[in-house]
Amino acid sequence: MSFKIATWNINSVRLRMPIVLRYLKSHGPDVLCLQETKCRDSEFPSSDLRAAGYEHLAINGQKGYHGVAIASRIPLTKIDKREFCQMGDARHISATFSAGKRDITVHNFYVPAGGDIADRDLNPKFGHKLDFLGEMADWIAQAKLAETNAILVGDLNIAPLEHDVWSHKALVKVVSHTPIEVERLQKVFDAGPWVDALRTKIPADQKLYTWWSYRSPNWETANKGRRLDHMWISPDLKPALQDLDILKEARGWDRPSDHVPVMISLKD
DNA sequence: ATGGTTGCTTGGCAA
């Protein structure tokens, strides 16, 4: 027996319902975490997800921007949302579910993208991103979130390793891959400490991407991707980690998100 | 070096 959990920045859940349902049908995650749903809770396509067998929903949305949600085949309890940086943004939701003998809590995050200029004095959005990561690290450490039976997923908007981007040299000053962001993300990681599920399965010396910009019409041949989406697990879950599936093919689906779904399976 | 595209909305951000 194993269970599957996936994360996907969907860039408007209402617009993407055809491909969400396609993914659920073809890959059957037990739990799907979405980011950038971009709609109010009342506008969330709950009935379509329920009809597809994902009856248990945890939604934290807002009009037009951000928004996170968890759709699950198995019951969700202890649904909780946390606000960061007193911005009122919908960027986190958590829930607990039973997987075999374990009760696992998943934290679903959408970290601020941070704007275009990697300087907090010139660009408040970059400062917000750094502050958000600081609050994440403090909370994870204080609440001991990663001690046991915990998973952190989401669009963290940072590609930390050299081979998480198509060219380390070309992107080292580009927001998402700058040393200060990588350092802040590392503090969030160490606050667990977490285990990087993707890099446990695919070594750090291999290129690995989950996002390809819309601004490249030939995204597939150019392949200038970045690994912005992450799945971290508490150390006790590492022996249970089975498979990893990064569905690059979904970037080529009709009216795609610029991110692709990432799924791990864990034996229970 | 710059601009490239998409979504939410319909002018201009945000990503």
Side-chain angles (χ1 to χ4, degrees):
Chain A
M1 246 325 254
S2 72
F3 85 96
K4 298 184 280 189
I5 179 166
T7 182
W8 197 2
N9 177 318
I10 204 61
N11 188 21
S12 173
V13 69
R14 290 176 294 175
L15 210 55
R16 286 326 152 211
M17 272 317 282
I19 61 170
V20 170
L21 295 173
R22 177 176 176 178
Y23 180 67
L24 293 175
K25 204 165 188 178
S26 61
H27 287 73
D30 297 293
V31 178
L32 174 64
C33 298
L34 297 169
Q35 304 86 35
E36 277 206 272
T37 52
K38 291 189 172 179
C39 62
R40 300 177 182 97
D41 293 0
S42 59
E43 299 164 326
F44 192 84
S46 302
S47 54
D48 291 338
L49 286 164
R50 290 200 180 101
Y54 293 78
E55 293 175 39
H56 309 281
L57 303 174
I59 310 164
N60 183 15
Q62 71 183 83
K63 178 182 160 65
Y65 299 97
H66 324 310
V68 288
I70 304 170
S72 175
R73 290 164 149 169
I74 43 185
L76 298 175
T77 60
K78 301 182 189 168
I79 293 167
D80 206 4
K81 306 155 194 177
R82 191 173 177 89
E83 188 185 348
F84 292 81
C85 302
Q86 298 179 308
M87 298 281 284
D89 289 350
R91 295 184 178 275
H92 167 266
I93 192 161
S94 61
T96 299
F97 54 89
S98 282
K101 52 187 184 280
R102 296 188 182 92
D103 279 349
I104 292 179
T105 298
V106 59
H107 290 273
N108 178 15
F109 277 97
Y110 176 51
V111 171
D116 288 331
I117 304 166
D119 181 335
R120 69 181 307 150
D121 295 326
L122 300 175
N123 171 21
K125 287 193 289 231
F126 192 71
H128 175 213
K129 183 178 197 174
L130 299 180
D131 293 344
F132 191 102
L133 293 161
E135 286 190 21
M136 274 178 81
D138 290 346
W139 180 46
I140 289 163
Q142 276 167 22
K144 302 188 192 301
L145 285 191
E147 265 198 346
T148 184
N149 292 327
I151 304 179
L152 185 154
V153 307
D155 176 5
L156 306 186
N157 264 316
I158 296 171
L161 304 178
E162 176 179 349
H163 295 296
D164 291 340
V165 295
W166 62 275
S167 166
H168 173 67
K169 197 181 169 200
L171 291 175
V172 73
K173 292 180 177 169
V174 173
V175 174
S176 73
H177 192 60
T178 64
I180 184 164
E181 291 169 87
V182 171
E183 181 186 302
R184 289 292 177 111
L185 187 70
Q186 187 66 43
K187 283 183 179 166
V188 182
F189 188 82
D190 293 341
W194 299 94
V195 172
D196 179 345
L198 277 63
R199 284 306 189 185
T200 297
K201 288 292 168 187
I202 299 173
D205 61 357
Q206 293 180 34
K207 292 290 182 190
L208 186 59
Y209 314 136
T210 64
W211 172 91
W212 292 261
S213 173
Y214 285 129
R215 298 177 195 181
S216 173
N218 58 336
W219 69 273
E220 194 167 16
T221 48
N223 200 25
K224 293 182 173 179
R226 304 178 202 171
R227 183 172 73 115
L228 302 179
D229 302 279
H230 298 268
M231 302 191 88
W232 295 349
I233 59 178
S234 53
D236 61 307
L237 294 181
K238 188 176 179 184
L241 180 62
Q242 307 267 98
D243 300 315
L244 167 67
D245 181 35
I246 299 174
L247 193 64
K248 183 177 180 182
E249 165 196 319
R251 184 61 180 79
W253 286 355
D254 192 41
R255 302 215 62 188
S257 169
D258 43 357
H259 297 250
V260 299
V262 179
M263 180 165 73
I264 55 171
S265 60
L266 295 162
K267 65 181 176 203
D268 52 29

